[in-house]
Amino acid sequence: MFFDAKEYVTAAGVLEGLVDEVPEQVAPRLLLARAYYHAARLRLAEEQLLLVLERDPVEGYARLMLGRTLERQGRDADAAPHLRMAAALAGEFTPTGR
């Protein structure tokens, strides 16, 4: 409901409590990262996404979101490998010429 209302800071506050209660679960942490991303709290989004990927390295949406988060911070070189991995996980293979 908070995402629909674009109340991302409020959503983050609610999700922070949930993540504290169940830190091992990936889904609430991924939603928290998404709330941070939309609230332009990019460093916090990055931190949460790295924790998600630590627990589940093939979580494609987390890879994509981390790539986009890094791009928004002007860190295109850091974003590129995550975006390539996200594309590969989604079955979107592109020839590299090798």
Side-chain angles (χ1 to χ4, degrees):
M1 122 178 109
F2 294 118
F3 279 89
D4 289 340
K6 298 184 183 197
E7 297 279 342
Y8 303 116
V9 173
T10 303
V14 171
L15 290 163
E16 286 166 352
L18 182 58
V19 166
D20 287 343
E21 288 180 31
V22 288
E24 71 284 352
Q25 290 188 13
V26 170
R29 194 173 295 279
L30 192 53
L31 281 174
L32 177 58
R34 189 172 153 219
Y36 285 150
Y37 176 86
H38 287 297
R41 298 170 76 182
L42 301 177
R43 296 298 286 174
L44 292 173
E46 179 183 353
E47 289 173 13
Q48 293 302 315
L49 291 164
L50 289 170
L51 288 169
V52 167
L53 291 170
E54 191 175 286
R55 289 171 174 79
D56 187 358
V58 294
E59 168 49 66
Y61 185 65
R63 289 273 173 205
L64 176 63
M65 188 184 295
L66 180 56
R68 297 288 182 236
T69 299
L70 295 169
E71 282 182 331
R72 281 184 70 185
Q73 293 178 63
R75 297 167 54 196
D76 293 349
D78 293 333
H82 296 288
L83 295 173
R84 281 194 303 273
M85 177 76 79
L89 290 168
E92 301 168 5
F93 300 103
T94 57
T96 61
R98 295 181 192 191

